[in-house]
Amino acid sequence: MEQEFGVLDKYLKVTRYQYQYQVFPGNRFPFAEFLVAFGLLLILSIEQIAIDCNDKSSDCRNPIERLQSRNSQLERETLTANAQVELNTPPSPPFPEPNPPVNSQSKFNSLILLLALSVHSLFEGLTIGLLKSPSVVLQLFIAILVHKIPVAFSLGSSLVQSELKTSAVIHFDLWFSLMTPIGTGIGVLLNTLPSVIDLQLLNGILIPKTAIYIPNFISSLEENELIQKVYSAPKPKWTQLKNRRLQNWGGIPHPKGMIPEKMPEWLQKYINRINSYCIFEEQCSPNHVLINEYQPGQGIMPHVDGPLFHPIITTINCGSHTVLRLRTTDNSETLQENFSLLLEPKSLLILRDELYTDYLHSIEDITEDIVDSSIRNLHLCQEKHITGQRLKRSVRLSFTIRHVPRCSNFKLRF
Ligand SMILES: O=C(O)CCC(=O)C(=O)O
Ligand SMILES: [Fe+2]
């Protein structure tokens, strides 16, 4: 068997590669959109402060003072005009108003403007850094480059007019021009961090690459919804076998090719969720869901799923726990020994590679399972279990979600 960490690295690389040309697939948190919206709000707030300060700097006195000053100016102007009529002398300019401290206020305004535009540029950079699609990055880069010209021009003239020292103006310009590249760098760094989905997949790895167990893949509400949908399907949808019954959705797999049927929305939702985990390559997106119903005491004989399916099995478990037994088809020393997995309701199990090709899987036809040391995923289970514990089974529904590569060209719609 391969070295665990080598495989983990490889696994992460695969998921990263699959993410590379998608911008925020599936239900990933939309960081870029969030940052752009947050950045805009921040800039609006800073700009509001700047406008407020600007109003104050153009006249820092309160309204009564401003009115008194306006009245006295009017009086002065009337006096000057009267004196001019009496003396018939050319008008002299009205008495000059005392100057407000223009320099310090305009410096302050320029610095606020610098701060607002720097934050704005930082967020622009972050957005570029967080994007995955090269063509979108190029479009955004050009758009930002073009709109930087008037922005830099207005900031530059504001700084120069503020009568700051030339060296300070150069420093501030430099600072401003570095903001977008710094933002881009931070965005790229954030992109290299594993996503919540990556962590869920990594945490769930039991046997490198080949078995991943994710508890609480669906919520209790979703579990109830699924159960209700299965039981509201028309009767002919059920196929009765000797010791269980099942429903096929998406078509009936056949060696000559499956005639594809439209997947209902209530199942497509979970196919989409699985797709967002990048478990299947794009061209092998699941197109088939097999629903098995097990009454307590029912199980499934040891088997392999065989060549009808792409060799990845994803199973959502509902209603009751079960214990899935896995054992090798031959005595090859490169393979793991026999082992079991406890599948809790609401969990997702992913089996692939050697576990698909070289292992048989089965469920014993018993009414209760005893927790023993063959169960490999106890540490990942939602509930705490101890060895020797007896777990009574109730009705279990499993949703086995796979890709059927051989499909005929007919498409049935219901
Ligand atoms: O119910 C399960 O979890 C297993 C079902 C299965 O192995 C199958 O239908 O091929
Ligand atoms: Fe199977």
Side-chain angles (χ1 to χ4, degrees):
M1 184 141 67
E2 289 179 80
Q3 270 288 303
E4 186 155 342
F5 290 106
V7 173
L8 288 191
D9 280 354
K10 226 193 277 170
Y11 183 78
L12 258 191
K13 253 188 220 148
V14 171
T15 54
R16 286 263 151 251
Y17 174 76
Q18 285 165 343
Y19 281 144
Q20 205 163 11
Y21 295 103
Q22 300 172 43
V23 185
F24 305 107
N27 57 359
R28 299 190 84 205
F29 185 76
F31 270 115
E33 288 86 342
F34 171 76
L35 283 177
V36 171
F38 180 72
L40 271 173
L41 273 179
L42 203 68
I43 292 151
L44 275 176
S45 320
I46 297 177
E47 277 172 358
Q48 200 50 52
I49 294 170
I51 290 167
D52 209 38
C53 290
N54 201 28
D55 282 352
K56 282 188 189 139
S57 77
S58 53
D59 196 342
C60 339
R61 296 160 297 172
N62 67 37
I64 295 170
E65 281 173 334
R66 262 185 268 157
L67 262 179
Q68 283 170 345
S69 146
R70 176 105 188 101
N71 287 343
S72 59
Q73 189 180 346
L74 276 173
E75 275 168 25
R76 280 196 300 270
E77 280 170 5
T78 321
L79 274 176
T80 317
N82 289 345
Q84 265 158 11
V85 171
E86 280 169 21
L87 299 171
N88 210 12
T89 50
S92 60
F95 298 110
E97 277 283 281
N99 271 342
V102 172
N103 266 356
S104 67
Q105 282 299 330
S106 73
K107 260 185 209 171
F108 179 71
N109 287 349
S110 301
L111 292 179
I112 289 281
L113 184 67
L114 172 72
L115 182 67
L117 293 177
S118 300
V119 174
H120 177 73
S121 301
L122 193 76
F123 278 93
E124 280 172 343
L126 262 174
T127 315
I128 296 184
L130 281 169
L131 286 172
K132 311 274 186 339
S133 153
S135 63
V136 180
V137 168
L138 189 69
Q139 281 168 16
L140 195 67
F141 178 75
I142 293 170
I144 288 177
L145 202 70
V146 171
H147 105 281
K148 278 266 182 270
I149 298 169
V151 171
F153 187 77
S154 63
L155 177 67
S157 46
S158 164
L159 285 173
V160 169
Q161 279 169 12
S162 70
E163 294 175 10
L164 281 160
K165 280 193 203 147
T166 314
S167 61
V169 172
I170 293 172
H171 270 110
F172 289 143
D173 274 342
L174 209 69
W175 160 266
F176 169 69
S177 58
L178 282 177
M179 280 299 119
T180 304
I182 289 175
T184 309
I186 296 173
V188 170
L189 263 178
L190 284 176
N191 253 344
T192 60
L193 296 177
S195 69
V196 175
I197 287 175
D198 286 343
L199 289 177
Q200 264 185 313
L201 286 169
L202 269 179
N203 280 343
I205 290 179
L206 291 160
I207 296 154
K209 263 174 86 178
T210 59
I212 299 173
Y213 178 76
I214 301 176
N216 292 320
F217 179 73
I218 58 169
S219 66
S220 302
L221 204 77
E222 290 173 325
E223 182 190 29
N224 290 338
E225 235 170 54
L226 275 174
I227 295 173
Q228 183 258 319
K229 286 283 184 196
V230 171
Y231 289 114
S232 58
K235 261 224 157 78
K237 198 71 195 159
W238 286 103
T239 305
Q240 184 65 54
L241 304 183
K242 215 169 76 200
N243 62 344
R244 68 178 198 283
R245 54 177 190 158
L246 53 85
Q247 291 180 8
N248 273 286
W249 291 94
I252 300 188
H254 191 276
K256 288 200 174 138
M258 176 175 83
I259 299 175
E261 293 167 17
K262 191 172 165 18
M263 193 60 74
E265 246 342 281
W266 58 274
L267 286 173
Q268 188 61 43
K269 172 180 169 184
Y270 298 99
I271 294 182
N272 295 346
R273 188 172 302 174
I274 286 170
N275 278 339
S276 77
Y277 279 65
C278 297
I279 296 157
F280 293 86
E281 280 162 31
E282 214 172 304
Q283 67 277 15
C284 302
S285 169
N287 54 358
H288 184 258
V289 181
L290 178 70
I291 302 173
N292 279 296
E293 183 205 58
Y294 302 86
Q295 298 294 336
Q298 294 184 330
I300 189 166
M301 300 279 284
H303 68 281
V304 288
D305 285 3
L308 282 185
F309 301 97
H310 179 73
I312 299 178
I313 310 172
T314 52
T315 309
I316 298 177
N317 302 285
C318 290
S320 169
H321 80 278
T322 201
V323 172
L324 189 75
R325 310 259 172 215
L326 289 123
R327 67 160 210 247
T328 52
T329 51
D330 62 13
N331 295 322
S332 165
E333 279 171 21
T334 57
L335 298 172
Q336 293 272 318
E337 289 163 19
N338 302 347
F339 67 97
S340 315
L341 298 171
L342 175 61
L343 309 183
E344 298 169 293
K346 298 184 281 180
S347 65
L348 176 80
L349 176 70
I350 305 164
L351 294 179
R352 51 182 292 177
D353 306 301
E354 297 96 318
L355 281 188
Y356 188 96
T357 49
D358 304 333
Y359 275 72
L360 301 165
H361 53 275
S362 61
I363 296 168
E364 282 180 79
D365 42 8
I366 49 180
T367 53
E368 66 174 25
D369 296 281
I370 300 174
V371 177
D372 63 25
S373 59
S374 75
I375 299 177
R376 291 283 180 83
N377 63 327
L378 286 181
H379 62 295
L380 293 176
C381 286
Q382 164 66 16
E383 301 281 324
K384 290 282 151 269
H385 300 285
I386 46 166
T387 313
Q389 195 177 339
R390 289 172 175 273
L391 303 172
K392 248 189 156 23
R393 286 189 196 169
S394 51
V395 179
R396 170 174 178 262
L397 288 178
S398 67
F399 296 74
T400 306
I401 300 171
R402 290 170 290 195
H403 172 76
V404 177
R406 259 185 98 98
C407 286
S408 76
N409 289 331
F410 296 110
K411 186 147 186 141
L412 296 183
R413 289 176 176 271
F414 292 104

